[in-house]
């Protein structure tokens, strides 16, 4: 029996391309793992009315962790039209399978390293090395959404002033949810000798939910006197981090702001082809690239697999295979620095799989 069982969830579009490439690297490292395929994505919404079928969830529960490619999602009106005619009248509502995985397995940490590997012409500036901790289960992604205010809710004090046909999405931050992600960011900073943790929020306007996030941050920060801390409104952070990325180190944010700043920081360190993401809880974790399914490139084996290979590096750290993780990162650093093997986004024309093979060549 293999030492690890890993759920293998390619999903839609380029999800398969980048996972195929990642497998080349894991196989070269001789990771003692069994990879178990799982169905997820748009096709399963259309055919079965569920983009994350129960059988996939059951299978994931029998594995150590998951590698996930990407999924396609489409707006409400299109989602309903593309549903199988037999399912049309069942009042099914599309919900993101990624958000569901995060909530089902309580993967409250979304860790997104944004590191500029030296010599990458896509780096905004050399030397950027940021790590984002995004709260992954709450905030505006909690799923409490209503298109037209429900009757019972309409009677709540204050809401009666709103038009009945208003669409509302409830932003939920809990003390427990804020505390555990903020503590994770500080613990990471301490054990990785990081200088500072910055809280990203909009507490001056979104006073209740972001106010709680900031108050919790200040309270946790006071317990880590060895680590500097500060905070910034999300809008102002977006300009300051561009002006001087070196003023920042570890960032912690509620779900939505964390989502947004991680694309911004990914773009500063090589773009979506380099952005990796670890969704981590106490008992389970799902690793993925930050990017989506880029449908126009489906099956062309053209996109950059480095983001996903870096996600596999995070996976290896999570299961305790630290040597393999270091080997992957060193190999990527060497490939980038040599600059000979480049996918289209890096200005080259090598295929997704050849990029993976180039990484394998540098494993030592
Ligand atoms: P996207 O991330 O799929 O692609 C945007 C563009 O970025 C692509 O057209 C391509 O030019 C570039 N790109 C993405 N990945 C790349 C890679 N590995 N190498 C080189 N270039 C790369 O975002 P888009 O187009 O907004 O969304 C497409 C679909 O993906 C939508 O259905 C969206 O809902 C979904 N999506 C899924 C995510 C996920 O599964 N985690 C995250 C973001 C979007
Ligand atoms: Mg995103």
């Amino acid at each position: 029996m293999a030492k690890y069982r890993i759920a293998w969830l390619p999903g839609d579009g380029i999800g398969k391309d980048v996972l195929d490439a990642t497998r080349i690297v894991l196989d070269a490292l001789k990771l003692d793992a069994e990879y178990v395929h799982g169905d997820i994505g748009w096709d399963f919404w259309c055919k079965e009315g569920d983009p994350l079928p129960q059988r996939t969830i059951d299978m994931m529960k029998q594995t150590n962790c998951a590698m996930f490619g990407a999924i396609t999602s489409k707006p409400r009106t299109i989602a309903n039209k593309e549903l199988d005619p037999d399912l049309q009248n069942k009042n099914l509502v599309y919900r993101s399978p990624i958000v569901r995985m995060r909530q089902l397995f309580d993967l409250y940490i979304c860790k997104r390293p944004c590191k500029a590997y030296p010599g990458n012409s896509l780096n905004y500036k050399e030397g950027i090395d940021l790590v984002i901790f995004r709260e992954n289960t709450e905030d505006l992604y909690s799923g409490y959404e209503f298109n037209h205010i429900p009757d019972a809710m309409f009677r709540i004090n204050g809401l009666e002033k709103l038009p009945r046909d208003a669409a509302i999405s409830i932003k939920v931050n809990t003390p427990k949810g804020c505390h555990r992600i903020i503590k994770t960011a500080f613990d990471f900073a301490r054990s990785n000798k990081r200088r500072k943790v910055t809280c990203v929020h909009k507490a001056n306007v979104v006073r209740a939910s972001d106010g709680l996030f900031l108050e919790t941050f200040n309270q946790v920060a006071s317990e880590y006197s060895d680590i500097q801390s500060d905070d910034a409104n999300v809008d102002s952070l977006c300009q300051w981090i561009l002006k001087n990325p070196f003023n920042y180190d570890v960032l912690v944010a509620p779900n939505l702001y964390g989502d947004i700043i991680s694309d911004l920081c990914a773009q500063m360190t090589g773009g979506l082809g380099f952005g990796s993401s670890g969704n981590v809880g106490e008992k389970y974790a799902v690793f993925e690239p930050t990017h989506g399914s880029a449908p126009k490139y489906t099956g062309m084996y053209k996109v950059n697999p480095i983001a996903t290979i870096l996600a596999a590096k995070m996976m290896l750290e999570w299961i305790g295979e630290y040597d393999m993780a270091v080997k992957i990162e060193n190999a990527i650093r060497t490939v980038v620095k040599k600059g000979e093997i480049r996918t289209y986004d890096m200005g080259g024309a090598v295929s997704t799989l050849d990029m993976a093979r180039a990484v394998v060549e540098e494993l030592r």
Side-chain angles (χ1 to χ4, degrees), residues 102 112 134 141 258-260 262-263 272 290-291:
R102 289 168 180 163
R112 294 185 159 174
R134 160 188 175 191
Y141 294 53
D259 195 358
I260 296 168
S262 44
D263 275 20
L272 288 177
T290 313
H291 63 72

Side-chain angles (χ1 to χ4, degrees), residues 313-324:
K313 173 216 166 233
M314 260 198 273
M315 177 194 77
L316 291 167
E317 286 167 349
W318 193 74
I319 60 178
E321 296 287 352
Y322 300 105
D323 288 351
M324 291 187 191

Side-chain angles (χ1 to χ4, degrees), residues 52-355:
L52 181 60
Q54 187 59 40
R55 61 179 177 283
T56 304
I57 297 166
D58 293 341
M59 178 277 284
M60 290 169 76
K61 287 182 179 160
Q62 305 299 318
T63 59
N64 299 89
C65 58
M67 279 297 302
F68 164 60
I71 48 114
T72 296
S73 57
K74 301 184 188 180
R76 206 157 43 98
T77 44
I78 302 179
N80 293 342
K81 274 196 204 122
E82 293 191 6
L83 199 53
D84 185 285
D86 291 344
L87 298 169
Q88 293 276 356
N89 53 5
K90 294 205 164 163
N91 276 336
L92 297 170
V93 178
Y94 180 88
R95 276 207 67 207
S96 161
I98 309 177
V99 175
R100 264 176 69 208
M101 276 195 292
R102 289 168 180 163
Q103 289 172 349
L104 269 169
F105 291 92
D106 201 20
L107 309 175
Y108 62 93
I109 303 163
C110 185
K111 181 180 171 190
R112 294 185 159 174
C114 298
K115 191 187 285 188
Y117 289 100
N120 186 353
S121 63
L122 297 172
N123 290 337
Y124 174 64
K125 284 181 182 163
E126 289 290 348
I128 300 176
D129 184 5
L130 301 160
V131 182
I132 296 167
F133 285 87
R134 160 188 175 191
E135 200 293 319
N136 219 14
T137 55
E138 305 194 324
D139 199 52
L140 269 172
Y141 294 53
S142 298
Y144 297 106
E145 303 205 66
F146 307 91
N147 182 359
H148 284 60
I149 302 178
D151 280 348
M153 210 180 238
F154 192 68
R155 287 191 285 275
I156 297 171
N157 198 14
L159 288 190
E160 72 274 10
K161 293 188 205 117
L162 296 173
R164 292 298 285 263
D165 56 358
I168 56 175
S169 304
I170 300 180
K171 179 169 154 104
V172 183
N173 287 357
T174 64
K176 178 185 167 196
C178 297
H179 188 268
R180 61 186 184 172
I181 189 66
I182 293 165
K183 186 167 183 312
T184 301
F186 275 98
D187 283 341
F188 170 86
R190 185 175 272 170
S191 52
N192 289 276
K193 305 212 173 346
R194 294 282 184 151
R195 180 173 43 96
K196 183 169 90 167
V197 181
T198 301
C199 175
V200 184
H201 62 85
K202 187 75 185 177
N204 57 340
V205 178
V206 189
R207 303 185 78 84
S209 50
D210 283 2
L212 176 67
F213 196 86
L214 180 57
E215 283 156 27
T216 311
F217 177 85
N218 288 333
Q219 177 208 322
V220 175
S222 70
E223 294 159 16
Y224 290 80
S225 52
D226 48 325
I227 313 228
Q228 294 173 42
S229 61
D230 62 6
D231 70 276
N233 281 306
V234 60
D235 47 345
S236 102
L237 177 104
C238 287
Q239 49 153 349
W240 289 117
I241 205 164
L242 279 179
K243 189 161 164 68
N244 190 357
F246 306 107
N247 270 348
Y248 302 91
D249 190 354
V250 176
L251 302 148
V252 63
N255 212 335
L256 176 63
Y257 311 142
D259 195 358
I260 296 168
I261 61 168
S262 44
D263 275 20
L264 172 67
C265 295
Q267 198 50 245
M268 291 159 67
T269 51
L272 288 177
F274 284 81
S276 61
S277 180
N279 305 279
V280 178
E282 299 296 339
K283 297 201 182 100
Y284 199 76
V286 177
F287 300 90
E288 55 167 329
T290 313
H291 63 72
S293 62
K296 67 182 175 196
Y297 296 124
T298 305
M300 292 169 70
Y301 290 94
K302 181 176 168 159
V303 295
N304 192 345
I306 288 181
T308 318
I309 299 171
L310 285 170
K313 173 216 166 233
M314 260 198 273
M315 177 194 77
L316 291 167
E317 286 167 349
W318 193 74
I319 60 178
E321 296 287 352
Y322 300 105
D323 288 351
M324 291 187 191
V326 169
K327 281 182 184 170
I328 288 191
E329 185 167 38
N330 286 343
I332 287 175
R333 190 178 281 114
T334 307
V335 171
V336 170
K337 191 158 194 185
K338 283 187 176 170
E340 290 154 9
I341 306 290
R342 288 170 291 138
T343 43
Y344 87 93
D345 54 313
M346 299 168 77
V350 311
S351 76
T352 307
L353 301 182
D354 281 343
M355 175 56 98

